[in-house]
Amino acid sequence: MQYMGTGPGGRGSGLIRRRLATRSVPVRRGAGRILTVLRSSNTGLLVLSLVVGAGAGGGAVVFRWLIKTFTWVLSGYVDYAAVGHAANPHLPGLGRWFVVFAPVLAGLVYGPLVHFFAREARGHGVPEVMFAVARRGGRIPPQVAAVKALASALCIGGGGSVGREGPIVQIGSALGSTLGRIMGVAESRMRVLVACGAAGGIAATFNAPLAGVFFAMELILRDFTAESFGMVVIASVTASVIGRAALGNAPFLALPPFTMDHLNEYLLFAALGLLAGVSGVMFTRVLYLIEDVCDRVWRGPEWLRPSVGGFLLGGLLLVLPQMYGVGYPVLDNSMAGAYTVVFLIVLLAAKMIATSLTIGIGGSGGVFAPSLFIGAMLGSAYGQILHHIAPGIAGAPGAYGLIGMGAVFAGAARAPITAVIIMFELTGEYTIILPLMAAIVLATGISHLLSQDTIYTLKLRRRGVELDEPAQSTATAMSAVTVEEVMDPLEEPLRHDRPLLDAAELISRSRHGQLAVLDTRGTYYGVVTAQAATDVLADGEHDDTPVGSVAELTETVQLSDRLDQTLDALNSARTAVPVLDTHHTHVVGWLTHQQVLSALHRPETPTYHQPQPVGTPATAPDQS
């Protein structure tokens, strides 16, 4: 015999469920407290920063492995730029002509990947992160991390002459944004987590924790506060520890020691700083000029553009294989004196063109490494010329190449603090810190005089985004949006003479807990709420009461009202405010607090509605 109440529908099962639910309450409350601490406390932000730093460090390790793997698959070497006009061991029959097809094949894979899954992954990546932090509250789509890693690794592995700092910044930032969105943190904290991801990526991939911190603070957050600085440092250190454990602890660039023998060299380094500033601005102009040309010429589908454009890039690589990939071995050789002055100048110009072409055809990669490359070629050529002209005064040409690296980056990105720190950490060379600082400051100054924008902000200005302008205030934003743009659609209204019991189910299922009431002519009569209907029907004696007798005349707004004009009505409303047409007779929608808040934080341009007033001949009210 079955025990009474233990079946699926018996009272016993209900009692068990209630008891289990009671036992789970402390667990849910404990989890809720933990989530609250993580979302709102400094300790929680510290924990999240550690997690983001660890994720960015791991992402950097995986990203560098992907680059090496794709480079080996497509060229047969770990870094083809170091081997010259060599054949691909996998395809010896093609000889050195394989470089024509490597970018084509890579583009055929990453082109559709970027176009169909994450278009933000196209280009250098840093401007997109800057825009997300400044204008979108740090929100970056989660799929960007995976798509950017694959697309950039394929692009660089297939010969794309771009760097890996832009991709790793975007990868780390996307990880930070995704974690912040999962945890439901406020926008101010979301921005910090995005900066933590950027710092962690730079720190791990270049073994430069300080550079990662200042890159994130100076270029991504564009603001130095004690709290954000501490969190970014924690993330950078965490990522750097992971990067060093996986990739080693050696400086990124191995250079011979340099010394300063004469005070007159400061003048020579200062002149190099001015030249580097001009070169940084020139690199920016060439980059966007070639990108504009590619935009005007291409008429096919965007997903096919990297593959077709890859033939042009492959032709350039056929002539100058030193442009294949990032090109750090070539950079080392230039500062070791392995190239003549003429060839250094050729490599400088070719790098500008190759990087610009890679970005222009739809490639994915950064511009930091190319700016270092250009600076090394410029400085080394400048140093060799000085060494021939005044060998007793000028020092080693490699020292000028090292300073040129930092100065050109400063001239292009206009981030002098980052340039000084990153050059020191990349090389571990402290003896030339003073001339390095002088050259970087002068390069930044001449860049300011020649151009209003940096290599990062110009991309955003061309889209109509001004990062230096203050963000739109809440009052200004509310005055720029009308009720018509954000209101909720209207559910089917009720006739004022309909029995209340007959309409009770419709009212209970309404989205806002209330329905509009119309008179016999279809004009607005009032609002009936679920609470009012419940109170009247509770005694069971007023089932036939007409809906109109319990309708309330609440505050209303009009279609053309600006949001700042609706605050009084919203404050007095229980849930939603009725929206009336311009004649103030027909109800057309609802305005809620949630809609207003969403409009204020909406990154895109609002979608405009063309509502049809309910109750007009085109849409009659409920006649039942």
Side-chain angles (χ1 to χ4, degrees):
M1 185 176 82
Q2 186 180 19
Y3 184 80
M4 182 180 293
T6 59
R11 289 180 296 175
S13 62
L15 179 60
I16 292 173
R17 285 195 297 270
R18 286 196 296 274
R19 288 181 177 176
L20 288 176
T22 303
R23 291 175 59 187
S24 68
V25 167
V27 177
R28 291 198 298 267
R29 287 178 177 173
R33 281 196 295 269
I34 293 173
L35 287 175
T36 301
V37 169
L38 290 175
R39 288 192 189 109
S40 56
S41 69
N42 288 334
T43 302
L45 186 58
L46 175 64
V47 173
L48 295 179
S49 300
L50 282 168
V51 174
V52 172
V61 172
V62 172
F63 181 56
R64 288 186 61 171
W65 176 82
L66 286 173
I67 292 175
K68 285 186 178 181
T69 301
F70 288 134
T71 303
W72 180 82
V73 169
L74 293 169
S75 72
Y77 298 89
V78 175
D79 196 328
Y80 184 76
V83 298
H85 295 280
N88 187 336
H90 306 318
L91 300 168
L94 289 177
R96 62 190 181 95
W97 288 86
F98 83 92
V99 295
V100 177
F101 303 101
V104 176
L105 182 60
L108 197 59
V109 178
Y110 74 76
L113 184 67
V114 169
H115 182 75
F116 292 110
F117 294 100
R119 298 187 185 184
E120 298 92 338
R122 176 183 171 181
H124 13 146
V126 175
E128 285 74 16
V129 176
M130 295 169 69
F131 174 73
V133 169
R135 294 291 184 267
R136 301 187 62 188
R139 293 185 293 274
I140 301 173
Q143 70 270 20
V144 168
V147 174
K148 188 70 175 181
L150 290 172
S152 297
L154 279 164
C155 181
I156 296 171
S161 193
V162 285
R164 59 194 183 206
E165 99 294 337
I168 196 57
V169 165
Q170 199 168 13
I171 292 167
S173 297
L175 292 174
S177 178
T178 300
L179 179 62
R181 185 175 301 180
I182 292 172
M183 300 303 301
V185 301
E187 283 192 359
S188 59
R189 291 172 172 251
M190 180 87 82
R191 294 186 182 97
V192 173
L193 293 180
V194 169
C196 287
I202 290 287
T205 195
F206 292 117
N207 190 17
L210 280 176
V213 170
F214 285 98
F215 186 97
M217 300 298 294
E218 194 172 20
L219 289 173
I220 304 302
L221 281 182
R222 298 162 64 89
D223 182 27
F224 287 82
T225 61
E227 182 185 33
S228 59
F229 184 80
M231 301 306 166
V232 171
V233 167
I234 291 296
S236 183
V237 170
T238 304
S240 186
V241 169
I242 293 174
R244 290 181 180 187
L247 304 172
N249 195 24
F252 186 72
L253 295 174
L255 301 172
F258 299 118
T259 58
M260 287 279 296
D261 299 324
H262 299 279
L263 292 177
N264 293 334
E265 286 186 70
Y266 281 100
L267 296 176
L268 302 178
F269 286 121
L272 175 60
L274 297 176
L275 288 175
V278 174
S279 299
V281 174
M282 184 183 301
F283 177 38
T284 302
R285 301 278 174 82
V286 171
L287 176 69
Y288 291 103
L289 174 63
I290 291 181
E291 189 173 2
D292 287 340
V293 171
C294 291
D295 288 339
R296 285 195 295 267
V297 170
W298 181 249
R299 291 293 180 268
E302 284 300 313
W303 62 268
L304 192 59
R305 178 169 168 173
S307 181
V308 176
F311 281 109
L312 294 175
L313 180 60
L316 179 60
L317 296 176
L318 185 64
V319 178
L320 284 172
Q322 292 83 0
M323 297 297 106
Y324 198 107
V326 181
Y328 284 124
V330 181
L331 187 151
D332 286 337
N333 292 338
S334 70
M335 288 189 291
Y339 306 130
T340 64
V341 172
V342 174
F343 192 60
L344 288 170
I345 296 174
V346 170
L347 291 176
L348 184 155
K351 193 65 174 181
M352 287 189 182
I353 296 172
T355 300
S356 303
L357 184 59
T358 303
I359 299 294
I361 64 175
S364 178
V367 295
F368 168 70
S371 69
L372 296 185
F373 188 103
I374 293 167
M377 302 306 118
L378 173 68
S380 297
Y382 178 80
Q384 287 192 32
I385 293 172
L386 289 179
H387 193 70
H388 288 297
I389 295 175
I393 299 177
Y400 293 92
L402 178 60
I403 290 177
M405 290 165 60
V408 169
F409 169 69
R414 213 170 295 162
I417 300 175
T418 302
V420 171
I421 298 296
I422 205 166
M423 289 312 305
F424 169 64
E425 283 198 298
L426 289 184
T427 63
E429 185 63 48
Y430 185 76
T431 56
I432 57 170
I433 192 70
L434 293 181
L436 178 65
M437 292 170 64
I440 284 174
V441 168
L442 289 172
T444 304
I446 198 69
S447 175
H448 268 291
L449 292 175
L450 296 178
S451 174
Q452 183 180 358
D453 292 288
T454 71
I455 198 167
Y456 298 129
T457 60
L458 183 56
K459 183 175 184 178
L460 298 176
R461 180 187 289 274
R462 286 153 56 93
R463 297 177 181 175
V465 178
E466 298 282 353
L467 290 183
D468 292 329
E469 290 184 356
Q472 195 176 36
S473 67
T474 300
T476 303
M478 293 185 72
S479 66
V481 181
T482 63
V483 172
E484 181 179 0
E485 298 171 21
V486 300
M487 69 178 188
D488 272 349
L490 185 71
E491 297 166 292
E492 192 67 26
L494 302 170
R495 282 283 295 266
H496 75 295
D497 54 357
R498 182 171 181 174
L500 186 58
L501 181 62
D502 187 30
E505 185 178 356
L506 293 175
I507 300 172
S508 66
R509 289 192 283 108
S510 61
R511 186 166 55 252
H512 302 297
Q514 60 187 25
L515 287 175
V517 181
L518 309 181
D519 62 15
T520 54
R521 295 177 298 174
T523 57
Y524 176 67
Y525 188 88
V527 170
V528 58
T529 65
Q531 181 64 48
T534 301
D535 292 342
V536 173
L537 295 173
D539 58 8
E541 298 178 358
H542 298 83
D543 295 352
D544 295 329
T545 300
V547 169
S549 65
V550 295
E552 305 173 20
L553 278 174
T554 61
E555 292 276 355
T556 61
V557 296
Q558 289 184 269
L559 279 173
S560 57
D561 286 345
R562 302 188 307 271
L563 293 188
D564 59 338
Q565 297 173 317
T566 66
L567 296 180
D568 290 338
L570 285 168
N571 287 334
S572 64
R574 289 195 184 101
T575 56
V577 179
V579 180
L580 303 185
D581 63 4
T582 53
H583 300 293
H584 216 271
T585 55
H586 295 97
V587 60
V588 293
W590 300 105
L591 181 66
T592 66
H593 299 83
Q594 291 82 359
Q595 290 295 323
V596 174
L597 289 174
S598 298
L600 295 179
H601 294 85
R602 184 180 302 168
E604 299 87 13
T605 303
T607 301
Y608 292 85
H609 303 285
Q610 294 296 333
Q612 176 68 39
V614 175
T616 60
T619 307
D622 177 33
Q623 301 294 331
S624 56

